[in-house]
Amino acid sequence: MSPNEKTLLRALKGETAIPPPIWLMRQAGRYLPEYRAIRAKARNFLDLCFTPELAVEVTLQPIRRYGFDAAILFSDILVVPHALGQRVWFEEGAGPRLEPLRRIQELARLTMSGLHETLAPVYETLRRLHMELPEQTALIGFAGGPWTVASYMIEGGTSKDFAVAKTWAYRAPDEFARIIDLLVESTSEYLIAQVEAGAEVLQLFDSWAGVWPEPGLRRWCLEPVAEIVRRVKVAHPDVPVILFPRGAGPLYEAFAGEAGAEGLGLDTTVPLVWARERLQGAVTLQGNLDPLLLVAGGAALDQAVARILDTLGAGPFIFNLGHGITPETPPEHVERLVSLVRAWRPGA
Ligand code: 1CP
């Protein structure tokens, strides 16, 4: 035991911290009035991500309010296609939009040559956060999984069925592999640079992993993500990585056993007892409160939090949501959640 070490880092070394550390996916964002105030000052969302002064401020807002055990860099998974040269913009209320990549010939327009230059403000944000965070608060850097990012690049935004991207992968897997390879390479470099700028933990968000049958999930999610983990660890063997292959179902076991990461983020649907028995011996688990319970609050929230802690809290565990916080979340429900987690003791 190393009592002075940050609880999140201890948990990712396989230690059981009582109570477990807590942070929330999308903990900075529209549900906070102070975020909306800063957001109104930026010309657009990408400007917010690329203005260190503002990005630092919105990263720190939920830390000040709730004292979470980790701060997550304020940025977005789509800064990578932007830095590769694809046109990316965010429309108010409509989510992200990209000029879609539809023919393999168009891939030649994307290049890693300006990657670090475009992403330099993100590294600057991390350097400032590293200086400014309270000493017990861990700093998480992140990127999207190659499949999830590729889906936005190809579909041109959010998709319901991922028909264009999946059909491409089925019809021309060699072409599709070139897109994924470019993302493996750029994402690995991006994450390594994040560590060098001060990130202490990395999370890979593969939010749309769950749309694939098993072979596709292995080929387009597990393998690329495992390759990123491998490359990051060549450069920085000690940096812990958390994977979030949302919707992977029973294949969560493959992510626990084969990807080389220390942490695994469970989505809302993963059964807790199954996760304890099949996954928790291999990795530190993170999750998986339904974000809508945080909107609802009341007894339903209290009971669900207790059930998660009582089932997973006796092993290496990080409390989190099963997906990102929603803008409708009342900030006082988050306050309640944090006090429930901090008051929890096993068997009490
Ligand atoms: O209008 C606004 O203010 C923009 C809303 C917003 C915010 C606050 C977007 C656009 N991105 C973000 C920040 C963000 N995105 C963070 C850092 C904040 C934090 O965690 O505290 C992170 C980690 C992300 C990651 C992200 N972006 C993911 C993976 C996680 C997930 O929720 O599944 C995905 C899929 C995106 C794409 C994206 N960017 C923005 C939106 C609204 C979306 C989702 C669109 C969709 O549902 O397809």
Side-chain angles (χ1 to χ4, degrees), residues 258-280:
E258 299 169 33
E262 287 73 8
L264 194 54
L266 307 176
D267 69 61
T268 296
T269 68
V270 178
L272 299 176
V273 172
W274 179 85
R276 181 179 65 202
E277 289 171 359
R278 308 289 277 265
L279 310 174
Q280 204 170 25

Side-chain angles (χ1 to χ4, degrees), residues 24-30 35 39 45 72-78 90 92 95-96 142 148 152 158 205 207-208 244 246 323-324:
L24 303 180
M25 290 189 279
R26 300 280 194 104
Q27 64 192 19
R30 286 192 182 276
Y35 171 84
R39 177 73 178 81
F45 178 71
I72 180 160
L73 163 71
F74 189 85
S75 180
D76 195 77
I77 63 169
L78 299 176
F90 290 81
E92 292 304 317
F142 74 93
T148 293
Y152 286 95
T158 300
F205 290 88
S207 304
W208 302 114
F244 179 57
R246 190 165 76 95
H323 195 196

Side-chain angles (χ1 to χ4, degrees), residues 229-261:
V229 174
R230 196 191 64 75
R231 291 184 189 205
V232 167
K233 302 255 173 193
V234 168
H236 298 288
D238 296 330
V239 71
V241 181
I242 304 170
L243 305 180
F244 179 57
R246 190 165 76 95
L251 284 173
Y252 259 104
E253 268 195 296
F255 280 87
E258 299 169 33

Side-chain angles (χ1 to χ4, degrees), residues 144-147 180 184 204-206 218-231 241 243-245 255 259 261:
W147 154 247
I180 295 293
V184 166
L204 270 163
F205 290 88
D206 222 348
R218 286 183 177 274
R219 177 65 188 91
W220 305 122
C221 302
L222 177 56
E223 282 179 30
V225 157
E227 177 60 17
I228 292 171
V229 174
R230 196 191 64 75
R231 291 184 189 205
V241 181
L243 305 180
F244 179 57
F255 280 87

Side-chain angles (χ1 to χ4, degrees), residues 46 54 56 67 89 95 107 133 136 139 148 162 166 179 199 216 231 239 244 256 270 274 283 307 329 332:
L46 270 184
L54 300 181
V56 166
W89 68 103
L107 190 65
L133 277 173
Q136 71 279 12
L139 180 54
T148 293
F162 303 87
K166 287 176 72 184
I179 302 170
R231 291 184 189 205
V239 71
F244 179 57
V270 178
W274 179 85
V283 287
R307 190 167 159 266
T329 304
E332 40 315 341

Side-chain angles (χ1 to χ4, degrees), residues 104 169 172-183 219-220:
I104 198 63
D174 293 347
E175 289 181 7
F176 200 73
R178 289 176 52 200
I179 302 170
I180 295 293
D181 286 351
L182 176 65
L183 289 167
R219 177 65 188 91
W220 305 122

